[in-house]
């Protein structure tokens, strides 16, 4: 593939749309996870008493469900990414690949 083909692919609207949507989705989910995780770490650092306090007067403290919640959230965010990637981004990827193949075939005919 020569530079002209690469340039045409990089400036292809479908390719640009796919890259933008993937980037926005990745950064959004990353920001959610970082905010939650950093928030938990700040809670650990600055409000240990809350995390050590009992939920209902029993043995379980607030730290346990919050920590487990972060782990569960990571699985949920992974599932959200997989669902969107498989149902929306794959369609854009296929459309972009069809256009890339058309660009490559045009070069072969030239």
């Amino acid at each position: 593939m020569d530079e002209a083909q690469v340039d045409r692919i990089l400036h292809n609207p479908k390719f640009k749309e796919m890259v933008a949507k993937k980037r926005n989705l990745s950064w959004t989910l990353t920001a959610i996870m970082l905010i939650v995780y950093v928030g938990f770490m700040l809670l650990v650092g600055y409000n240990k008493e809350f995390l050590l306090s009992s939920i209902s007067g029993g043995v379980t403290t607030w730290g346990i469900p919050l920590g487990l919640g972060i782990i569960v959230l990571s699985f949920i965010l992974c599932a959200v990414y997989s669902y969107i990637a498989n149902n929306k981004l794959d369609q854009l990827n296929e459309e972009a690949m069809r256009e890339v193949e058309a660009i490559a075939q045009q070069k072969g005919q030239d």
Side-chain angles (χ1 to χ4, degrees):
M1 208 179 272
D2 64 5
E3 287 205 32
Q5 284 179 300
V6 172
D7 192 48
R8 287 174 63 192
I9 291 167
L10 292 175
H11 289 91
N12 182 294
K14 291 285 183 192
F15 181 77
K16 283 184 172 184
E17 181 184 2
M18 179 194 63
V19 169
K21 285 190 176 187
K22 223 177 222 187
R23 181 181 53 239
N24 290 340
L25 176 63
S26 296
W27 280 112
T28 300
L29 297 178
T30 299
I32 291 169
M33 194 66 221
L34 281 174
I35 289 167
V36 169
Y37 184 74
V38 169
F40 184 72
M41 290 297 106
L42 289 172
L43 197 58
V44 168
Y46 292 106
N47 198 357
K48 290 179 192 166
E49 297 78 28
F50 170 73
L51 292 175
L52 292 172
S53 65
S54 176
I55 291 177
S56 62
V59 178
T60 306
T61 63
W62 280 104
I64 293 172
L66 289 176
L68 289 174
I70 291 172
I71 294 168
V72 170
L73 177 67
S74 67
F75 282 102
I76 291 170
L77 292 179
C78 185
V80 166
Y81 180 83
S82 296
Y83 176 80
I84 293 172
N86 289 335
N87 293 315
K88 303 236 165 67
L89 296 178
D90 278 355
Q91 293 170 357
L92 281 174
N93 189 32
E94 289 174 14
E95 292 172 11
M97 288 305 295
R98 274 190 236 114
E99 292 185 17
V100 166
E101 288 170 2
I103 290 170
Q105 287 176 358
Q106 286 176 357
K107 179 63 177 173
Q109 295 172 357
D110 292 341

